[in-house]
Each structure stands twice: as structure tokens, then as C-alpha cells.
């Protein structure tokens, strides 16, 4: 988006030429699809080539971007330049939010593992330090306390792991030919 917006804003390139430039200067994952765009656009036109790239990438974020590019082909770049800038801001904010959610989930998973291991570590520590603790946990009551405590600890671990699972990503909305 930044590459295309920069090229369109400076007036040094058309939308088509900036999309073709992505085959050489764009992010590595986009280079092969955009190279195919360049070849296909000469054969079936820009709209058909954009639709083919959109179907190939099959990603919700790229769907938004490529549909906006298709709108630019139809309506002209001046109108769509503002739309692309808003889309860039929205996409950047979405990516930042996904990163924050992923980080929070990682922190929760780590905390759940520490919360699972900490009571067991403290129990082992107390039993190695004190004969009274060893004597209690060698008896029936001590085994029952350890079994119940471990069961509750395991349920807590399962609950926190479920809460920390990865959030579903954005689903593709426009999967049929739209251009």
C-alpha cells in the first residue's frame, strides 16, 4: 500500500505501473503474484488480472486492498488515493491490534504455566526443607491434599489455556468474482 500510494501521490506512476513495480520492488511474498498480474493484465486486462491475484492470495487483507485497486481502475486514481490512505491506516491499526492480542495471549499462556508449576515447586521445596511437611504429605491426608490440589491446578491451567487461545482471524467476505 505504501509503495502504491507513494507512486500515485508523486504522480510518477500510474496505478498499473505501480502494481507492476511490486513484482520487482514489493514485499517478497507479493512478488510472484504481482509478476503474474503483470503478465495477465496484458492478456485479460487489469480488472481480470487483479481478480486472479485476489483469488490466488485468498487473504482478507489482500481482498480489501485488491478490491480498492479494482475500484481505482474503474474510477480513477484521484478518488481512490484517499481511500487507499484510509485503508493503509486501517490495515496498520488491525495489524498492530493483532500483535497486541497475540502478545497478551502469550503472556497469559506463560502465566498459566507458571501458575501450574509454582504450587508444585513450593510443595517440593517445603518437603525438602521440613520433616513436618514430609511427614504430613507421606500420610493419607497429604496425598489427598496433593491430588485435589493438582486436580484444581490442572483445571485452572485448562481454563487459562482456553482463554489464551489464538483469536480467529478475519474471514474473507468477497470470495466470488467481484471485479
Amino acid at each position: 500500500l505504501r509503495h502504491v500510494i507513494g507512486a500515485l501521490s508523486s504522480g510518477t506512476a500510474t496505478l498499473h505501473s505501480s502494481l507492476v513495480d511490486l513484482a520487482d520492488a514489493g514485499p517478497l511474498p507479493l512478488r510472484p503474484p504481482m509478476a503474474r498480474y503483470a503478465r495477465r493484465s496484458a492478456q485479460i486486462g487489469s480488472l481480470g488480472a487483479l481478480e486472479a491475484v485476489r483469488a490466488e492470495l485468498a487473504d482478507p487483507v489482500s481482498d480489501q486492498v485488491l478490491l480498492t485497486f479494482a475500484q481505482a481502475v474503474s474510477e480513477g486514481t484521484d478518488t481512490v488515493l484517499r481511500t487507499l490512505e484510509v485503508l493503509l491506516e486501517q490495515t496498520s491499526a488491525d495489524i498492530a491490534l493483532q500483535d497486541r492480542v497475540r502478545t497478551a495471549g502469550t503472556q497469559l499462556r506463560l502465566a498459566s504455566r507458571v501458575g501450574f508449576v509454582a504450587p508444585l515447586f513450593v510443595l517440593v521445596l517445603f518437603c525438602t526443607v521440613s520433616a513436618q511437611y514430609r511427614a504430613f504429605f507421606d500420610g493419607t491426608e497429604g496425598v489427598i491434599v496433593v491430588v485435589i490440589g493438582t486436580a484444581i491446578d490442572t483445571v485452572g491451567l485448562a481454563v487459562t489455556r482456553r482463554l489464551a487461545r489464538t483469536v480467529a482471524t478475519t474471514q474473507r467476505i468477497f470470495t466470488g468474482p467481484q471485479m
Side-chain angles (χ1 to χ4, degrees), residues 34-85:
M34 295 315 290
R36 286 187 282 282
Y37 163 81
R39 288 191 304 272
R40 289 177 182 147
S41 64
Q43 298 166 348
I44 60 174
S46 293
L47 290 176
L50 283 171
E51 179 60 34
V53 170
R54 195 169 71 81
E56 180 181 342
L57 292 176
D59 176 68
V61 175
S62 65
D63 282 351
Q64 292 177 341
V65 173
L66 292 169
L67 287 172
T68 305
F69 289 157
Q71 178 188 8
V73 169
S74 302
E75 295 181 18
T77 56
D78 292 336
T79 305
V80 178
L81 190 56
R82 289 185 300 268
T83 306
L84 287 175
E85 289 169 349

Side-chain angles (χ1 to χ4, degrees), residues 113-125 149 153:
R113 289 183 184 126
V114 169
F116 178 77
V117 172
L120 299 174
F121 176 74
V122 170
L123 175 65
V124 169
L125 182 66
D153 209 13

Side-chain angles (χ1 to χ4, degrees), residues 57-159:
L57 292 176
D59 176 68
V61 175
S62 65
D63 282 351
Q64 292 177 341
V65 173
L66 292 169
L67 287 172
T68 305
F69 289 157
Q71 178 188 8
V73 169
S74 302
E75 295 181 18
T77 56
D78 292 336
T79 305
V80 178
L81 190 56
R82 289 185 300 268
T83 306
L84 287 175
E85 289 169 349
V86 169
L87 183 60
L88 175 62
E89 290 174 17
Q90 176 188 349
T91 303
S92 298
D94 287 347
I95 290 170
L97 177 62
Q98 286 175 356
D99 288 343
R100 285 195 304 272
V101 167
R102 193 175 307 116
T103 300
T106 301
Q107 290 172 342
L108 185 56
R109 282 190 297 279
L110 180 62
S112 70
R113 289 183 184 126
V114 169
F116 178 77
V117 172
L120 299 174
F121 176 74
V122 170
L123 175 65
V124 169
L125 182 66
F126 282 162
C127 287
T128 58
V129 171
S130 172
Q132 291 175 333
Y133 283 109
R134 270 194 309 271
F136 175 77
F137 287 109
D138 280 342
T140 307
E141 297 91 9
V143 171
I144 290 172
V145 167
V146 169
V147 168
I148 291 173
T150 304
I152 291 170
D153 209 13
T154 304
V155 169
L157 178 66
V159 168

